[in-house]
Amino acid sequence: MSDVLLHGVPAPHLFEAPSGWLARLALAQGCSLNELLRFLDLPRDADHDLQLQGPLMVKLRGKCSLPVEAFAIADRVMVGLVRSGLEAEDALLRDEQGGPRFRYCPLCLKQRGAGHFEIHWRFTDWRYCPIHKCLMEERCWNCEAPLLYPRDIAGSVAGREGHASQRRCLACSVDLAAAKPCLVDPSSSKVLMEYEAFWLHNGRALLAALSHGYARMHRGTMELEDIGARAYQAWLPTPFQWAKVERRIRSSRTSL
């Protein structure tokens, strides 16, 4: 590789998470993920979505010949997360080593062909897709493998079987978009209690607050500086609280 990548650089999608894009970049460059991370001077075991913000994001754009607007939303959301005072360990989905873990909407992936993973899919409190009114899926529907990125797509089970796409489970190669969506509309669901519906709405509002500095929440306006101190006191559930609600929703689910 030269000092700057000039060719074979996939254009980032508007809401794409940098960690998922790194896997797509390694595939497009025909190199291993470790080689790419060494070239970009990024550690192997890190939360690249959280790390790649501010000056490091500027450096990434320069080394990969990306326009200044590339990853603008991901950058803004992660800068907002740091400013908010929320602990990344609570706000972001992570694996045991602290690397990025995702949920996904099967209907979003179905619409996108090859698929990509969005930055808000990293967040603990982004629990449903507001576009398709369904719960986010946390694991592969077939083998229950978690969705971890960045990963070497070419060397994965899916890659070896000729499915070099983030729409495929890298562990077993099944189409993630084939998962049966668990439909839930917080505005009209009879399964949800009123405060549980507000939890889902407020998960969306949290991302708006991180991105724009404020958001309308149930029980008031959330200012960015208020999030760290108040998010789980009034606006959002703990993981334990939500786990019980999700079990109830899925046990009475209506699927397409």
Side-chain angles (χ1 to χ4, degrees):
M1 293 183 182
S2 65
D3 291 339
V4 177
L5 298 179
L6 299 175
H7 307 286
V9 178
H13 296 276
L14 180 63
F15 293 99
E16 188 165 10
S19 60
W21 180 82
L22 288 172
R24 297 203 298 122
L25 178 61
L27 182 67
Q29 291 292 315
C31 67
S32 71
L33 180 62
N34 284 339
E35 288 176 309
L36 176 67
L37 294 178
R38 283 196 297 270
F39 169 75
L40 296 174
D41 195 25
L42 294 173
R44 181 67 177 88
D45 297 319
D47 190 329
H48 297 100
D49 294 323
L50 187 61
Q51 181 184 37
L52 287 167
Q53 58 172 279
L56 284 180
M57 178 58 75
V58 173
K59 181 180 177 181
L60 176 73
R61 292 180 185 125
K63 297 207 74 169
C64 297
S65 303
L66 293 172
V68 294
E69 65 270 16
F71 297 116
I73 292 176
D75 188 13
R76 195 163 64 235
V77 165
M78 289 302 171
V79 169
L81 176 61
V82 173
R83 285 181 53 207
S84 74
L86 272 178
E87 295 292 336
E89 290 77 8
D90 297 326
L92 297 175
L93 298 167
R94 289 176 159 179
D95 65 11
E96 293 179 355
Q97 287 72 46
R101 182 166 61 87
F102 288 85
R103 296 191 186 107
Y104 73 99
C105 168
L107 297 177
C108 283
L109 288 182
K110 185 175 292 186
Q111 289 181 340
R112 293 174 186 168
H116 64 274
F117 287 80
E118 300 193 347
I119 191 64
H120 41 283
W121 294 1
R122 282 289 323 274
F123 280 79
T124 302
D125 290 292
W126 190 272
R127 303 181 188 278
Y128 89 111
C129 175
I131 299 172
H132 297 107
K133 302 295 192 296
C134 63
L135 290 181
M136 301 293 290
E137 300 298 327
E138 189 136 348
R139 294 176 177 272
C140 170
W141 60 268
N142 181 58
C143 72
E144 297 192 352
L147 283 75
L148 310 176
Y149 279 96
R151 296 268 299 280
D152 268 309
I153 297 176
S156 69
V157 171
R160 293 196 300 271
E161 293 183 2
H163 301 298
S165 166
Q166 289 180 320
R167 177 169 160 168
R168 294 281 181 160
C169 172
L170 299 185
C172 73
S173 192
V174 301
D175 185 358
L176 294 172
K180 293 182 179 179
C182 181
L183 301 182
V184 59
D185 185 345
S187 298
S188 61
S189 175
K190 296 180 180 179
V191 177
L192 293 172
M193 304 291 287
E194 183 180 17
Y195 68 89
E196 295 167 349
F198 283 129
W199 283 345
L200 288 178
H201 284 305
N202 286 349
R204 286 185 65 192
L206 171 63
L207 268 293
L210 296 180
S211 181
H212 302 296
Y214 69 93
R216 291 293 302 173
M217 311 286 285
H218 172 53
R219 301 179 184 172
T221 299
M222 174 180 277
E223 298 292 339
L224 187 58
E225 291 74 15
D226 294 336
I227 295 176
R230 298 184 60 190
Y232 296 101
Q233 295 176 12
W235 289 312
L236 296 166
T238 65
F240 177 76
Q241 287 174 317
W242 181 254
K244 294 192 295 183
V245 177
E246 184 162 349
R247 283 195 296 270
R248 189 179 74 246
I249 296 171
R250 290 187 181 277
S251 67
S252 60
R253 64 189 255 168
T254 301
S255 299
L256 293 177

